[in-house]
């Protein structure tokens, strides 16, 4: 199972470092997922379907405030120093708007990006979002600046684990003070 690495990670992640919120106990049904697919005339990749229907669907993961304080208005630093979390959009009932794949998809489609279904974004990077294209390939869509979609190799779980690893690297750089000017 390709998602095993993701599930294993979240069974043992550092709860002192990361705040993680997911739909746990409020997972969408097969009907909820099919309704979403029907609305957009798509079939989500099986791996993403499984994830979104698991307790981890609708995932928000962020480095805790005491370790990585949120930027304040007019703070200056390297771009990476503002990217302190990960969002995986979900379909759960009563999911917060900022995690709801239905709302994020509608927003993208209303902006003219009708060939994409958003599934993952980086907290602090409002320009880019990971999406499935009409063939269920993963692309990184720069929907705010250029409108370009760059192909991303791998599966949903590959993409998610890579983003978790990059978040870990950024967190370590932040702890080492690499975001400060010399």
């Amino acid at each position: 199972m390709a998602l095993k690495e993701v599930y294993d990670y979240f069974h043992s992640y550092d709860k002192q470092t990361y705040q993680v919120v997911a739909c746990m106990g409020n997972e969408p049904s097969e009907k909820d997922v099919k309704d979403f697919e029907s609305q957009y005339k798509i079939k989500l990749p099986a791996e993403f379907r499984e994830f979104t229907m698991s307790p981890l669907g609708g995932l928000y993961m962020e480095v805790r405030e005491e370790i990585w304080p949120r930027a304040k208005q007019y703070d200056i630093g390297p771009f990476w120093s503002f990217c302190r979390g990960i969002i995986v959009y979900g379909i759960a009932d009563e999911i917060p708007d900022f995690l709801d794949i239905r709302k994020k998809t509608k927003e993208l489609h209303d902006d003219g990006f009708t060939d994409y279904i958003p599934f993952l974004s980086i907290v602090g990077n409002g320009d880019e979002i990971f999406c499935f294209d009409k063939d269920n390939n993963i692309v990184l869509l720069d929907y705010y600046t250029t409108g370009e979609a760059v192909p991303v190799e791998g599966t949903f779980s590959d993409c998610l684990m890579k983003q978790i690893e990059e978040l870990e690297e950024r967190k370590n750089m932040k702890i080492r003070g690499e975001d400060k000017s010399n």
Side-chain angles (χ1 to χ4, degrees):
M1 171 168 86
L3 284 170
K4 183 177 181 338
E5 185 180 5
V6 172
Y7 295 146
D8 287 349
Y9 174 84
F10 283 102
H11 282 296
S12 60
Y13 76 97
D14 182 357
K15 293 170 181 63
Q16 300 302 312
T17 300
Y18 296 102
Q19 172 184 348
V20 174
V21 178
C23 70
M24 296 178 189
N26 195 24
E27 297 87 343
S29 67
E30 179 72 25
K31 181 185 180 318
D32 294 330
V33 175
K34 284 183 178 181
D35 287 348
F36 175 77
E37 291 174 329
S38 176
Q39 178 180 356
Y40 289 102
K41 298 173 181 55
I42 55 148
K43 178 78 171 164
L44 292 167
E47 192 179 61
F48 181 79
R49 289 175 110 257
E50 178 184 334
F51 182 84
T52 204
M53 291 171 51
S54 80
L56 285 173
L59 178 73
Y60 176 80
M61 176 183 187
E62 183 178 55
V63 178
R64 290 189 179 277
E65 177 80 14
E66 18 339 324
I67 295 169
W68 190 335
R70 286 188 178 82
K72 307 222 177 346
Q73 190 173 12
Y74 306 117
D75 276 359
I76 298 172
F79 177 73
W80 65 263
S81 68
F82 297 93
C83 301
R84 56 190 308 262
I86 297 169
I87 292 172
V88 180
Y89 300 102
I91 302 174
D93 280 339
E94 300 178 27
I95 192 167
D97 288 352
F98 77 98
L99 286 175
D100 194 327
I101 195 171
R102 296 162 294 205
K103 295 203 183 303
K104 194 64 176 176
T105 301
K106 181 179 181 332
E107 176 185 315
L108 272 187
H109 287 209
D110 286 351
D111 287 342
F113 297 101
T114 57
D115 289 339
Y116 304 105
I117 301 296
F119 69 87
L120 186 147
S121 64
I122 305 302
V123 174
N125 181 356
D127 293 352
E128 298 176 327
I129 191 166
F130 291 89
C131 299
F132 299 116
D133 68 12
K134 60 185 175 187
D135 298 318
N136 278 341
N137 297 309
I138 297 173
V139 297
L140 181 58
L141 176 64
D142 182 346
Y143 72 98
Y144 189 73
T145 308
T146 67
E148 293 180 15
V150 177
V152 174
E153 292 294 320
T155 64
F156 164 74
S157 60
D158 295 333
C159 183
L160 177 55
M161 285 309 299
K162 182 173 190 244
Q163 294 313 307
I164 290 170
E165 290 164 6
E166 289 180 8
L167 176 60
E168 183 74 22
E169 288 174 30
R170 292 190 302 271
K171 182 234 356 155
N172 290 336
M173 291 168 57
K174 180 73 173 176
I175 289 171
R176 291 191 299 266
E178 295 179 27
D179 59 325
K180 308 287 187 238
S181 308
N182 291 342

